[in-house]
Amino acid sequence: MIENRFNWQQFLRRWQEEWIPDEDDMEDLTEGGLTLADLALAAPPAAEAEITAAEQRLGARLPPSYRQFLEASNGWRLDKGAIYRLGAAHEIGWFGDPFGLTALYREGLAEHSTEQEVLLAGMWRRALQLETDSDASYALLDPGDTDEDGEWALYVYKGWSGELPDRYPSFRSYMQRMYQAFHSDRAHLPGFVNGTTRALDAEVERAREEALSGRWESARELLTEARRYGRPGAWGMLRQLEVLSHGGGYYGFGELVADPRYTGELVPVMAAGYLRDDRPGRMPDRFVLGAETDDGVTAAADAILAQVRDRTYRYAPGGAFGRAVAEAWESARWGDTDTAWRVIRAALPSWSPPGPDLLAPLGLLADPVLGPVVTRERGLELLATPRAGRDGPVPDPAPDLDLPGLCWPADPPRWNAPHDSYRCLWVEGAEPEALPGLVGEDGGAGLTAPPGRRAGWFHHGPAQRDDRTPWEDRAVVSVGRTDSGWAFGCDPAPRTSSPGNFFVSPAAAASRDGRAVVLWVRRTRDGGLAVFHLSVAERGEEQYAYTLRGTDVERSGPVPGALDPERVLRGVGEADRERCLLAAVQDEFGLSLPRHALVEGILPQLTTRSWNRAPREGEAYAYTTVRSFRSGR
């Protein structure tokens, strides 16, 4: 059995020898009435006769690890936590459930209750009580919850907490956890140095080398153990690995945040997580760094939070890696996130940390353009790549995220779009920055940063402004560049579901210096194709267009045979109509859309001029405004 090989005498002696007074102990010693001898943890060993007498009194043989503990120390003082002292062999006894907890816990059982929940409900009447002094808490060994070694599970129930008791698989595991807590409580004291702390600090140093060499899982195991003992830096480094391996969430980094060398890498990640967890209409929590910082770090954190909030934060490290990040940013800002990641991945070996406790370029994650590029799979690839001059095998690259071409919008689950319609504009040979001059609203502000992303959804367009008339339909498009060099604007959730009687394609205005293509697609409730519009212009003149509604086609100009919907859809089933029409447009013009950048809300936005014309004399229009009201009852 594993328990029989554990050396209790050595373990408890080391614990006693490493013990030093904490702040509370020093206060008690200073005020008098207590001596160091009074604060001793250990007690003399129990004789075999004492243990046997206790077992005869209880009518049960004690579990192995607890029995061996008594042979090494007949009781123990725990100076932290809810349990203050474990009694001697003659002081322990059956708990007997004096508070009627059995009935309370059994009331909560149901058919789907787990085996562990059933065991807990029956534990109170059969448990053995070990503590003799506590903060209204109980250390209970359960003879009904055993393992293959004959060990009884130990529960610590804090009567004042209202929480379920903490479970430990054995008495030994409980005592080891208390030993770790003892270390963690004193880790910050300057005089707390011993063989255990030196060994753990050496493991932290080894974990650092393992992490930078790409062996992050080995580093995680070492840091997890060191963190249980409260070793400096272990928590912050472990959290860095968790950020990249898990993705998302709000993270603190312990005392590392107080070091100004790491402010630019860690605080942006914390700010991004803080803002991501915020909700409209909710009073925001205070942005807490989680460590005591000086005025310089606090001021820098406030400035970083403001930049992350208004999406102006940009990750800009120095050196060769910084130049690669700048190059990647230029690719990602217009939608080419796969190229951006390849540039970053190739530059990772040149990354150098500003201090020994930073394990990876975490600031990437807070950049509104580059952060979405580093998906969880790519975060794992980053962790497995040797960095900062370390050697090691290079991991297989994570697959690209963007499907080639233009057909993917037809794939289920409809690329996370919250509506059943989308419309897009492409301009050949134009830079994305030129789109405001071609199709932007008169007097508009040009390209703007996208709003904060609601996880998994596209952004809704802005509400109708007071200075717009109801017939207007100004699209809010995400702007980028295709692989073939066309500038594009994509509206994934049009306020108007499909082109109507007043619709005027923006293709002509956009084609001032070349060709322009406009697509507008709307689906039925069951995912079928309801409307498909295509219009193509060149040098300011519309060349041809068609609008397909069901089986009816409205045309203008000579539509090429390769694009003619009647020819393209001949023999095509309902489920494939959208895909086939998109494939025809893709093949004719070499068009594409970057799925990942659109879904993640990376691209800048543009409000276009209206896609509807004003009603002419004698024409009428109608519109409906829907408001929801909440009952005052």
Side-chain angles (χ1 to χ4, degrees):
M1 294 190 305
I2 295 175
E3 296 287 357
N4 286 337
R5 293 200 296 267
F6 185 71
N7 191 322
W8 278 97
Q9 288 81 3
Q10 185 181 70
F11 171 67
L12 298 176
R13 182 170 59 251
R14 181 173 69 249
W15 191 347
Q16 180 67 75
E17 290 173 351
E18 291 173 349
W19 184 86
I20 63 172
D22 64 8
E23 287 92 340
D24 292 339
D25 295 328
M26 289 301 300
E27 184 177 341
D28 291 339
L29 291 169
T30 301
E31 292 176 355
L34 284 179
T35 67
L36 285 175
D38 296 323
L39 296 176
L41 308 178
E48 178 63 27
E50 293 178 85
I51 300 174
T52 301
E55 291 176 331
Q56 291 175 345
R57 173 172 54 85
L58 298 169
R61 182 172 176 83
L62 297 174
S65 65
Y66 180 60
R67 202 177 197 282
Q68 293 162 15
F69 160 75
L70 292 175
E71 292 172 351
S73 179
N74 196 14
W76 193 263
R77 186 178 72 86
L78 296 162
D79 63 353
K80 286 297 173 185
I83 304 299
Y84 300 155
R85 182 174 290 279
L86 297 172
H90 68 277
E91 295 175 306
I92 61 176
W94 298 114
F95 183 56
D97 192 12
F99 310 113
L101 295 172
T102 300
L104 178 65
Y105 276 75
R106 282 182 173 168
E107 284 178 5
L109 296 179
E111 290 185 6
H112 61 271
S113 296
T114 65
E115 180 183 358
Q116 190 58 56
E117 289 171 335
V118 173
L119 284 172
L120 177 59
M123 181 269 295
W124 308 99
R125 289 178 180 168
R126 62 177 179 254
L128 182 64
Q129 183 176 354
L130 304 185
E131 90 293 334
T132 57
D133 190 15
S134 70
D135 179 15
S137 301
Y138 307 92
L140 306 172
L141 278 173
D142 181 10
D145 186 354
T146 63
D147 64 14
E148 64 275 9
D149 295 318
E151 290 295 339
W152 303 1
L154 187 143
Y155 291 85
V156 173
Y157 175 61
K158 305 177 185 69
W160 41 264
S161 71
E163 300 173 353
L164 293 173
D166 298 325
R167 181 186 182 276
Y168 303 85
S170 67
F171 179 78
R172 172 188 165 183
S173 65
Y174 168 70
M175 289 294 282
Q176 287 178 312
R177 184 66 193 93
M178 294 302 100
Y179 174 63
Q180 293 166 350
F182 150 74
H183 262 268
S184 182
D185 181 64
R186 288 164 170 78
H188 67 286
L189 298 178
F192 190 61
V193 179
N194 49 60
T196 302
T197 62
R198 286 189 286 267
L200 288 167
D201 290 343
E203 293 292 84
V204 171
E205 181 60 34
R206 185 159 73 93
R208 181 183 293 110
E209 290 302 310
E210 290 286 283
L212 293 176
S213 299
R215 297 183 290 273
W216 71 275
E217 291 173 304
S218 171
R220 180 177 60 185
E221 292 180 7
L222 295 169
L223 291 171
T224 298
E225 181 70 5
R227 170 197 163 191
R228 294 191 183 108
Y229 287 82
R231 297 317 303 157
W235 169 257
M237 286 192 281
L238 183 62
R239 292 298 265 178
Q240 295 173 51
L241 301 182
E242 291 175 350
V243 167
L244 286 164
S245 61
H246 294 167
Y250 176 79
Y251 297 93
F253 300 95
E255 70 274 11
L256 294 188
V257 180
D259 191 327
R261 292 177 295 179
Y262 308 129
T263 302
E265 295 277 359
L266 302 183
V267 172
V269 178
M270 298 175 66
Y274 165 78
L275 295 171
R276 186 168 52 244
D277 291 343
D278 195 16
R279 293 293 180 269
R282 183 179 69 87
M283 182 67 70
D285 298 325
R286 190 167 63 90
F287 181 44
V288 178
L289 295 179
E292 186 175 344
T293 60
D294 61 26
D295 292 343
V297 171
T298 301
D302 290 341
I304 289 170
L305 177 63
Q307 292 171 357
V308 175
R309 177 183 284 114
D310 61 20
R311 296 179 67 84
T312 60
Y313 171 76
R314 184 167 174 180
Y315 181 57
F321 185 72
R323 291 189 291 273
V325 167
E327 179 183 347
W329 192 88
E330 288 297 329
S331 294
R333 70 180 295 209
W334 301 125
D336 193 356
T337 58
D338 288 333
T339 293
W341 174 246
R342 287 193 287 271
V343 170
I344 292 171
R345 180 176 63 204
L348 281 174
S350 69
W351 175 77
S352 182
D357 291 337
L358 192 70
L359 303 179
L362 260 69
L364 277 168
L365 304 179
D367 190 300
V369 172
L370 292 177
V373 172
V374 189
T375 61
R376 181 177 181 273
E377 291 74 18
R378 288 170 172 173
L380 293 172
E381 183 183 354
L382 188 158
L383 288 174
T385 301
R387 306 175 294 282
R390 270 59 171 189
D391 295 324
V394 177
D396 294 334
D400 286 349
L401 296 174
D402 280 328
L403 301 174
L406 189 58
C407 296
W408 61 264
D411 293 340
R414 304 304 187 194
W415 41 301
N416 288 351
H419 299 299
D420 294 324
S421 179
Y422 61 93
R423 55 186 172 182
C424 305
L425 162 74
W426 290 266
V427 182
E428 185 178 24
E431 290 300 316
E433 295 97 332
L435 287 188
L438 295 173
V439 297
E441 61 180 343
D442 296 333
L447 299 181
T448 60
R453 181 176 69 90
R454 288 185 62 193
W457 294 97
F458 280 103
H459 311 297
H460 293 266
Q464 183 85 356
R465 287 198 328 229
D466 291 339
D467 61 346
R468 298 181 184 180
T469 53
W471 55 264
E472 286 188 299
D473 176 22
R474 305 189 190 186
V476 178
V477 296
S478 297
V479 174
R481 182 192 297 117
T482 71
D483 294 339
S484 55
W486 293 58
F488 72 82
C490 180
D491 179 3
R495 187 169 52 83
T496 304
S497 62
S498 63
N501 294 333
F502 296 164
F503 168 65
V504 177
S505 171
S511 68
R512 185 179 61 198
D513 300 318
R515 291 187 296 176
V517 177
V518 167
L519 276 182
W520 195 332
V521 178
R522 183 172 69 85
R523 305 187 187 94
T524 61
R525 284 182 175 272
D526 59 1
L529 182 62
V531 178
F532 190 98
H533 169 84
L534 168 69
S535 50
V536 178
E538 186 170 1
R539 301 291 177 183
E541 298 288 338
E542 183 172 283
Q543 302 297 302
Y544 53 87
Y546 73 79
T547 302
L548 173 69
R549 289 184 172 88
T551 58
D552 297 330
V553 182
E554 300 174 11
R555 306 170 187 266
S556 64
V559 179
L563 296 173
D564 189 295
E566 293 181 347
R567 176 177 172 182
V568 172
L569 296 179
R570 189 174 298 134
V572 175
E574 179 64 32
D576 296 322
R577 285 160 57 85
E578 180 184 352
R579 177 182 298 279
C580 288
L581 292 171
L582 290 173
V585 175
Q586 169 189 303
D587 295 342
E588 181 74 12
F589 300 104
L591 300 180
S592 61
L593 284 172
R595 179 176 64 177
H596 187 64
L598 285 168
V599 171
E600 293 295 329
I602 295 174
L603 303 174
Q605 292 187 326
L606 169 67
T607 301
T608 71
R609 292 191 288 273
S610 175
W611 289 39
N612 283 339
R613 63 170 175 79
R616 299 189 180 105
E617 185 177 353
E619 293 180 329
Y621 64 88
Y623 63 94
T624 302
T625 300
V626 179
R627 292 188 174 93
S628 61
F629 295 91
R630 180 176 296 178
S631 172
R633 291 183 298 172

